[in-house]
Amino acid sequence: MNQKILENMLLFHGIHSEELPALLACLQAKEQTVKKETFLFLAGKTKPQMGVVLSGQAQVIRENILGDRMIIGTLYPGSLFGETYACMDVPVMPVSVFAKESCQVLLFDIKKILHTCSSSCSFHHTLIQNLMKIFAQKNAMLNQKMSYLSHKTIRSKLEAFLLDQAERQKSASFSLSLNRNELADYLCIDRSAMSRELGKMKEEGILDFQKNHFTLLSLLP
C-alpha cells in the first residue's frame, strides 16, 4: 500500500503518519486491484462504498437508458470517490466507476468514519472535519461544471472550459487529461459537432491544438 499518497490526502490531514495503520485497521479498510477497462462500481448493482485511488486512473460515469455516457469526473491517485452516495445510504450506486487504467484502490465503510468506535479513537473527529471539507470542494467543482453546461452553444462551452483550464494551469498552452470522446462526454455535447467547432476556432486563429494539447492564441502576449 502506498502510504505516502494517504499521508498527502485531505481526508487524512492532521493525522500523524504513525497513526495511519491503526486508523485503517479501525476503518476495516480493504485494498483491491481493478483491471484496466473494468468496472469497480456498476450503477444499479453495486452497494455504495467510499474509496481512495492508490494508483492508476478511473472515471466516474453516468449512462442513460439509451447508452449515452457522461463523464462526471476523473479519478487520480489520492482521489476520493463514492463518499456522497455512501453517506446517502442508498441501496445501490446510481453512477459507475470505470478503471481507465489498472488501479489499486482502498475501500472502506463510511459508517466506520461517521460513528466513533468503542475505543474512541482520537482521529475520528479529524476525519469527519476533513470529510466535510471534501464535500464542500466537490460541490464547488460540480458548480463549476454546471457553469460550463449552462452555456447555450458548443463554442461557448468549449471557450469556458478551455479558459478555465488555462487559468488553472497558469499558461495559455496546456494539456488536458481528457481525450476528445471524454471531453465531449464531460461537456455533454456531440463529439463530431465538437470537433467541427474546434476546427473552426483553429481556422479563425482563436486557438491551436495537437491531440490533447491546446494553446489559446488570444491569451498569448
Side-chain angles (χ1 to χ4, degrees), residues 194-216:
M194 183 191 75
S195 294
R196 287 195 297 271
E197 195 61 47
L198 285 172
K200 291 178 183 177
M201 294 169 75
K202 185 174 183 178
E203 291 175 358
E204 295 171 17
I206 297 173
L207 54 76
D208 194 12
F209 58 84
Q210 181 66 36
K211 294 184 178 180
N212 69 332
H213 188 81
F214 286 79
T215 299
L216 300 187

Side-chain angles (χ1 to χ4, degrees), residues 48-92:
Q49 284 183 286
M50 187 171 76
V52 174
V53 177
L54 299 176
S55 66
Q57 186 181 138
Q59 293 175 332
V60 181
I61 61 176
R62 185 188 294 274
E63 293 180 305
N64 61 25
I65 58 175
L66 300 176
D68 297 323
R69 175 180 293 190
M70 179 178 71
I71 298 174
I72 298 175
T74 302
L75 305 173
Y76 303 96
S79 295
L80 191 69
F81 61 92
E83 72 285 353
T84 299
Y85 302 111
C87 280
M88 290 170 63
D89 201 27
V90 294
V92 292

Side-chain angles (χ1 to χ4, degrees), residues 17-218:
S17 57
E18 58 270 19
E19 293 181 299
L20 280 175
L23 179 152
L24 296 177
C26 182
L27 299 181
Q28 298 179 7
K30 297 180 180 179
E31 193 170 355
Q32 182 173 331
T33 300
V34 189
K35 294 182 180 179
K36 180 180 179 180
E37 298 184 350
T38 61
F39 286 93
L40 171 61
F41 292 167
L42 193 58
K45 294 186 178 181
T46 307
K47 181 181 178 180
Q49 284 183 286
M50 187 171 76
V52 174
V53 177
L54 299 176
S55 66
Q57 186 181 138
Q59 293 175 332
V60 181
I61 61 176
R62 185 188 294 274
E63 293 180 305
N64 61 25
I65 58 175
L66 300 176
D68 297 323
R69 175 180 293 190
M70 179 178 71
I71 298 174
I72 298 175
T74 302
L75 305 173
Y76 303 96
S79 295
L80 191 69
F81 61 92
E83 72 285 353
T84 299
Y85 302 111
C87 280
M88 290 170 63
D89 201 27
V90 294
V92 292
M93 290 286 291
V95 297
S96 298
V97 177
F98 179 77
K100 190 176 177 182
E101 303 172 356
S102 178
C103 296
Q104 289 290 123
V105 299
L106 195 64
L107 299 172
F108 26 57
D109 184 346
I110 200 167
K111 292 178 182 178
K112 298 292 183 180
I113 295 178
L114 300 179
H115 303 288
T116 57
C117 64
S118 57
S119 301
S120 298
C121 299
S122 60
F123 46 69
H124 271 103
H125 182 67
T126 302
L127 279 174
I128 293 172
Q129 284 186 321
N130 291 342
L131 191 59
M132 293 304 101
K133 291 178 183 177
I134 291 170
F135 282 141
Q137 288 183 353
K138 289 198 171 184
N139 185 58
M141 291 172 62
L142 181 59
N143 287 338
Q144 182 65 71
K145 180 174 180 177
M146 292 304 297
S147 74
Y148 303 147
L149 302 185
S150 67
H151 291 272
K152 297 185 182 299
T153 66
I154 293 176
R155 176 172 293 203
S156 60
K157 288 180 181 181
L158 286 167
E159 287 176 336
F161 175 78
L162 294 173
L163 283 169
D164 187 54
Q165 293 302 307
E167 182 178 352
R168 290 186 180 190
Q169 299 188 40
K170 295 180 172 56
S171 174
S173 186
F174 52 88
S175 294
L176 301 180
S177 62
L178 304 173
N179 61 34
R180 292 298 171 79
N181 283 330
E182 293 166 345
L183 178 58
D185 288 343
Y186 180 76
L187 295 176
C188 301
I189 53 183
D190 179 75
R191 185 199 184 284
S192 297
M194 183 191 75
S195 294
R196 287 195 297 271
E197 195 61 47
L198 285 172
K200 291 178 183 177
M201 294 169 75
K202 185 174 183 178
E203 291 175 358
E204 295 171 17
I206 297 173
L207 54 76
D208 194 12
F209 58 84
Q210 181 66 36
K211 294 184 178 180
N212 69 332
H213 188 81
F214 286 79
T215 299
L216 300 187
L217 301 177
S218 59

